């Protein structure tokens, strides 16, 4: 009985929508949108038939991996600083990391549009300082997308890392030092393995939503980055091919399940490494 | 399943429209309702409801005129929402969005929505201002006898160029093939119909061609053009041309004219390419599911008033279907050849006629274009 509310929630918000997508992916699209309730196995083969769809998948995964790696590279030193060096300013810094997220995601991304514009403040300052001639040329490129990704997803990476680093037993580092390990060696042999659960969680939290990222490529990428999220959106909204859009959605889900399975294997290995230490 | 959608804008309509453009059209005698009305499923007449929801394109209704409407009907609560393309709007309505009353589909979309039974038959007893609409717009091919729609305004789809950055071009062929000169600085509309259609025009084919061989030529043109495209947008190009992020943009005439009204006005010039382009009519229509049909008729009737139309054009910069409105607009607009093009430049234009197969082919080419 106590489980009933959870079950209702689970059915309403998870099983039912997913069920619709699954069913739609085996039906036929009506002319100018909508669904004809005729069984159709053709949506999945269509995915493989035209090479563009495969290319869009690869582009998206590539973007998600690169974006995650960049978040890690930028986020780890930040989290390390927060956990070990920030002292009594720690809470101030943590709040500063959160406050921008009280404004809408869309507004923040559009703000970059103005900042990075060829007639925007950044270009203006660089020109004044004679560091730039002509146009900035940064907006509407793949680089601009990655920058938007790092900016928007960084907290998702930093917080799990921060928690892991905070919990790290500092005495282990001292012990490593006493036993003659240099700082770098101690970092690679002690800090990294022990914070691996945080690293993996952060990567997962960034990577999964990134595979469905739709807004950042559309706003900052201009015509240069077209991801699965954009394709699915267009299939539903512009092309009105709901059946094929559903098949694309299912393909993304399957792909993510495979990647998450890999994650769990890695995570289990990481935790058992921690245990054995 | 390839039922061709729609009859064309007839030659008579077309010549009349050209005449309208040059200002030489004598107003035909206009009797209300003579060409209009359906006897079945008439919209109910009754007291005006307390609310109204208008689903419209962005920046397509003057806030001042909306204020005037609200002042005239103070008890009416008016909600507005916007969309960026006909397809967006259709998708939302078809997905079951409830509560909208008035929508603004383009001619071809009126036809699709009628076929899908999404539009209400208009009650012309509640639209006395329809008498001001020029007779050539009374019986359009996409909606015989104007049963389900009244024209809001009309315009052309061409391109605009920052003349301080680029030399002006006059053809679609140049627009697509000169792109190396403006790498990353060119934008196209976010619409399969427009983008594939213009690539067809650049190759000398019809805007509405559904022939595989012609579509595949258009595809080649687009894929060669793609590396130079900076942005695909139907909403941002005004701002991008102003800021200099974009130097050349495919878009709608009124948008480029609106830029000339800005201070300072960016040096942008609009071109109807010599191969031709699209001529479109956007319409007021009421959804079959509209919860407030009386308020919706009241709203449309208000905006059909020639005086209001004369003010609307100073905001939207799109020509209306009422010659009478011309006396209410400033000379600069009345004589603007971008808003009221010459008969010569209107001649090669085409209106969109969609077929399911052709639309699907366009969508596929456009997806490929976007992903390239």
């Amino acid at each position: 009985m106590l489980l009933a509310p959870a079950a209702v929630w689970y059915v309403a918000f998870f099983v039912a929508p997913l069920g619709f997508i699954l069913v739609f992916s085996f039906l036929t699209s009506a002319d100018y949108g909508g669904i004809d309730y005729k069984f159709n196995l053709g949506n999945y083969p269509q995915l493989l038939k035209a090479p563009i769809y495969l290319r869009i998948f690869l582009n998206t995964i590539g973007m998600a991996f690169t974006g995650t790696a960049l978040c890690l590279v930028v986020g780890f030193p930040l989290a390390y600083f927060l956990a070990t060096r920030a002292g009594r300013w720690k809470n101030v810094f943590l709040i500063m990391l959160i406050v921008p997220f009280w404004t809408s995601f869309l507004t923040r991304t559009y703000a970059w549009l103005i900042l990075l514009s060829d007639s925007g403040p950044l270009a203006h300052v660089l020109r004044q300082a004679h560091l730039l001639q002509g146009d900035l040329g940064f907006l509407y490129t793949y680089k601009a997308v990655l920058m938007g990704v790092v900016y928007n997803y960084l907290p998702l990476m930093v917080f799990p890392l921060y928690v892991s680093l905070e919990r790290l037993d500092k005495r282990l580092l001292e012990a490593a030092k006493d036993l003659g390990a240099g700082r770098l060696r101690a970092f690679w042999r002690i800090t990294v393995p022990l914070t691996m659960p945080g690293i993996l969680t952060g990567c997962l939290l960034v990577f999964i939503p990134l595979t469905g990222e739709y807004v950042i490529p559309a706003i900052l990428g201009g015509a240069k980055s077209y991801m699965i999220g954009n394709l699915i959106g267009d299939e539903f909204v512009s092309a009105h091919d709901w059946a094929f859009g559903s098949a694309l959605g299912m393909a993304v889900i399957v792909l993510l399940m495979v990647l998450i399975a890999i994650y769990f294997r890695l995570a289990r290995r990481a935790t058992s490494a921690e245990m054995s230490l | 399943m390839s039922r061709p959608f729609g009859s064309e804008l007839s030659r008579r309509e077309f010549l009349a429209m050209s005449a309208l453009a040059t200002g030489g059209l004598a107003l035909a005698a206009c009797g209300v309702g003579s060409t209009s009305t359906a006897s079945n499923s008439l919209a109910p007449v009754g007291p005006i409801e307390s609310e109204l929801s208008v689903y419209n394109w962005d920046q397509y209704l003057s806030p001042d005129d909306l204020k005037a409407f609200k002042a005239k009907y103070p008890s009416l609560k008016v909600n507005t929402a916007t969309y960026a393309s006909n397809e967006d709007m259709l998708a939302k309505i078809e997905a079951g969005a409830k509560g909208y009353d008035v929508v603004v589909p383009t001619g071809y979309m009126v036809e699709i929505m009628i076929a899908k039974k999404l539009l209400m038959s208009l009650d012309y007893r509640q639209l006395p201002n329809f008498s001001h609409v020029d007779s050539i717009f009374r019986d359009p091919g996409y909606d015989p006898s104007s049963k389900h729609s009244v024209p809001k305004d009309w315009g052309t789809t061409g391109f605009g160029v920052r003349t301080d950055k680029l030399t002006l071009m006059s053809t679609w062929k140049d627009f697509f093939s000169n792109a190396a000169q403006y790498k990353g600085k060119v934008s196209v509309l976010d619409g399969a119909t427009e983008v594939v259609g213009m690539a067809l025009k650049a190759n000398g084919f019809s805007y509405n061609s559904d022939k595989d061989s012609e579509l595949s030529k258009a595809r080649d043109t687009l894929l060669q053009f793609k590396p130079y495209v900076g942005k695909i947008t139907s909403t941002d190009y005004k701002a991008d041309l102003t800021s200099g992020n974009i130097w050349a943009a495919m878009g709608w005439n009124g948008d480029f004219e609106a830029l000339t009204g800005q201070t300072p006005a960016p040096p942008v010039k609009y071109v109807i390419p010599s191969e031709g382009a699209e001529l479109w009519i956007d319409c007021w229509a009421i959804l079959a599911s509209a919860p407030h049909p009386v308020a919706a008729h009241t709203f449309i009737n208000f905006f059909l008033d020639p005086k209001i139309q004369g003010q609307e054009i100073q905001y939207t910069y799109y020509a209306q279907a009422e010659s009478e409105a011309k006396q209410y607009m400033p000379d600069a607009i009345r004589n603007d050849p971008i808003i009221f093009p010459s008969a010569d430049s209107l001649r090669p234009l085409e209106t969109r006629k969609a077929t399911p197969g052709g639309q699907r082919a366009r969508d596929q080419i456009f997806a490929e274009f976007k992903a390239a």
Side-chain angles (χ1 to χ4, degrees):
Chain A
M1 276 304 275
L2 284 173
L3 281 175
V8 168
W9 187 93
Y10 184 76
V11 168
F13 294 111
F14 181 72
V15 177
L18 205 63
F20 270 113
I21 298 177
L22 183 65
V23 171
F24 274 23
S25 73
F26 288 105
L27 295 175
T28 313
S29 277
D31 293 335
Y32 303 120
I35 284 285
D36 268 350
Y37 289 88
K38 274 184 289 197
F39 183 70
N40 175 16
L41 272 175
N43 295 317
Y44 289 94
Q46 192 187 336
L47 233 166
L48 300 171
K49 220 162 44 191
I52 53 155
Y53 300 120
L54 212 60
R55 197 161 65 220
I56 296 171
F57 265 89
L58 287 177
N59 285 350
T60 309
I61 305 252
M63 186 271 289
F65 266 116
T66 318
T68 308
L70 284 173
C71 278
L72 183 62
V73 169
V74 176
F76 200 95
L78 181 61
Y80 194 84
F81 170 79
L82 285 172
T84 61
R85 300 279 191 277
R88 62 200 177 89
W89 292 99
K90 190 191 288 180
N91 287 335
V92 177
F93 284 126
L94 283 173
I95 287 170
M96 277 166 62
L97 205 59
I98 299 170
V99 165
F101 290 79
W102 293 351
T103 26
S104 140
F105 180 73
L106 207 60
T107 312
R108 277 182 284 119
T109 308
Y110 265 108
W112 280 105
L113 194 67
I114 296 166
L115 281 172
L116 298 176
S117 151
D118 283 337
S119 59
L122 182 62
H124 185 73
V125 167
L126 289 177
R127 264 185 221 122
Q128 290 293 310
H130 298 287
L131 291 170
L132 176 77
Q133 280 157 343
D135 285 330
L136 201 56
F138 190 67
L139 199 58
Y140 307 149
T141 62
Y142 185 59
K143 279 178 286 185
V145 175
L146 289 176
M147 198 224 64
V149 164
V150 170
Y151 170 70
N152 278 308
Y153 285 79
L154 194 61
L156 292 179
M157 180 64 86
V158 168
F159 285 110
L161 285 177
Y162 169 77
V163 171
S164 285
L165 284 162
E166 168 102 297
R167 274 193 325 209
L168 182 69
D169 189 345
K170 308 289 179 302
R171 288 171 305 177
L172 288 171
L173 291 172
E174 284 162 21
K177 210 168 151 195
D178 289 345
L179 293 170
R183 291 174 77 162
L184 255 176
R185 194 174 150 98
F187 175 79
W188 284 113
R189 297 294 298 273
I190 308 288
T191 310
V192 170
L194 285 180
T195 51
M196 197 47 92
I199 293 173
L200 286 171
T201 306
C203 288
L204 194 73
L205 283 179
V206 171
F207 184 84
I208 289 183
L210 259 188
T211 55
E213 181 53 51
Y214 172 85
V215 171
I216 299 172
I219 295 178
L220 297 177
K224 292 293 177 286
S225 49
Y226 192 64
M227 302 297 156
I228 305 177
N230 307 87
L231 174 66
I232 294 177
D234 277 347
E235 286 299 334
F236 273 90
V237 172
S238 305
H240 289 217
D241 197 338
W242 293 6
F244 183 55
S246 300
L248 284 169
M250 289 308 295
V252 175
I253 291 171
V254 170
L255 184 77
L256 280 182
M257 287 195 322
V258 171
L259 290 170
I260 291 169
I262 295 173
Y263 160 80
F264 275 120
R265 287 193 77 149
L266 286 175
R268 204 177 311 133
R269 210 172 297 162
T271 356
S272 57
E274 191 181 15
M275 297 286 198
S276 67
L277 215 119
Chain B
M1 260 312 280
S2 65
R3 191 165 72 83
F5 252 103
S7 42
E8 347 190 339
L9 191 74
S10 73
R11 187 158 176 77
R12 177 181 65 86
E13 274 170 347
F14 191 71
L15 291 175
M17 200 176 281
S18 312
L20 173 79
T22 51
L25 183 80
L27 264 182
C30 25
V32 194
S34 56
T35 56
S36 58
T37 71
S39 49
N40 55 349
S41 75
L42 263 183
V45 189
I48 191 165
E49 300 89 351
S50 59
E51 213 174 315
L52 172 72
S53 296
V54 180
Y55 196 27
N56 190 4
W57 302 72
D58 193 22
Q59 297 175 34
Y60 212 26
L61 203 62
S62 152
D64 292 337
D65 294 335
L66 191 60
K67 221 181 276 169
F69 175 75
K70 286 176 179 166
K72 192 169 176 191
Y73 301 95
S75 62
L76 194 63
K77 181 172 177 278
V78 184
N79 314 307
T80 54
T82 60
Y83 54 84
S85 75
N86 280 299
E87 286 70 24
D88 281 8
M89 181 267 292
L90 178 65
K92 195 148 176 199
I93 301 298
E94 272 214 302
K98 290 275 180 303
Y100 295 118
D101 298 295
V102 176
V103 287
V104 187
T106 306
Y108 79 96
M109 187 51 69
V110 169
E111 199 164 18
I112 291 172
M113 292 181 84
I114 292 172
K116 287 178 168 285
K117 300 192 171 35
L118 291 170
L119 298 182
M120 180 182 282
S121 294
L122 297 174
D123 175 11
Y124 278 90
R125 287 168 302 170
Q126 298 181 59
L127 297 171
N129 280 335
F130 187 69
S131 64
H132 302 293
V133 172
D134 295 341
S135 57
I136 48 159
F137 288 101
R138 298 274 189 97
D139 185 22
Y142 54 81
D143 181 19
S145 311
S146 295
K147 240 168 128 175
H148 299 88
S149 69
V150 298
K152 177 182 183 292
D153 44 37
W154 60 274
T156 57
T157 309
F159 61 79
V161 168
R162 276 283 293 247
T163 48
D164 56 334
K165 308 274 189 190
L166 294 171
T167 49
L168 202 60
M169 307 162 276
S170 61
T171 62
W172 283 120
K173 201 168 181 316
D174 287 346
F175 178 84
F176 287 118
S177 57
N178 288 355
Q181 293 170 23
Y182 34 88
K183 188 172 191 320
K185 294 286 189 182
V186 55
S187 77
V188 294
L189 289 168
D190 190 1
T193 302
E194 284 95 346
V195 173
V196 178
M198 297 318 171
L200 282 164
K201 290 303 263 184
N203 283 291
F205 305 129
S206 162
Y207 187 64
N208 290 308
S209 170
D210 285 346
K211 287 199 191 105
D212 284 342
S213 60
E214 300 185 354
L215 284 166
S216 113
K217 281 232 176 73
R219 176 180 167 273
D220 294 344
T221 301
L222 289 175
L223 293 182
Q224 277 163 23
F225 170 62
K226 179 63 201 297
Y228 308 110
V229 178
K231 204 170 176 183
I232 300 172
T233 173
S234 302
T235 49
D236 295 349
Y237 61 88
K238 268 198 278 185
D240 280 331
L241 282 167
T242 308
S243 67
N245 287 338
I246 291 295
W247 297 346
M250 179 192 294
W252 300 299
N253 62 329
D255 278 354
F256 298 104
E257 273 316 271
L259 287 180
T260 62
Q262 283 180 4
T263 38
V268 171
K269 199 150 168 36
Y270 174 75
V271 180
I272 297 181
S274 57
E275 300 103 325
E278 186 191 3
L279 181 138
W280 46 261
I281 302 173
D282 282 348
C283 306
W284 294 116
I286 303 177
L287 291 171
S289 62
H292 317 105
V294 179
H297 280 86
T298 309
F299 178 84
I300 293 175
N301 192 55
F302 179 87
F303 278 91
L304 285 176
D305 182 335
K307 218 178 220 162
I308 297 293
Q309 299 243 312
Q311 290 162 26
E312 276 293 294
I313 198 169
Q314 295 173 51
Y315 177 78
T316 64
Y317 292 85
Y318 289 111
Q320 281 115 2
E322 297 182 357
S323 306
E324 268 182 76
K326 282 200 170 184
Q327 55 183 303
Y328 299 108
M329 53 186 81
D331 280 344
I333 287 184
R334 188 169 33 229
N335 300 324
D336 188 329
I338 304 293
I339 301 176
F340 297 102
S342 71
D344 276 349
S345 56
L346 281 176
R347 198 154 294 132
L349 301 188
E350 293 178 73
T351 52
R352 172 73 182 134
K353 293 173 287 287
T355 63
Q359 201 62 35
R360 198 156 290 175
R362 280 165 171 73
D363 289 331
Q364 210 136 28
I365 293 172
F366 195 53
E368 204 168 342
F369 171 72
K370 278 186 160 182

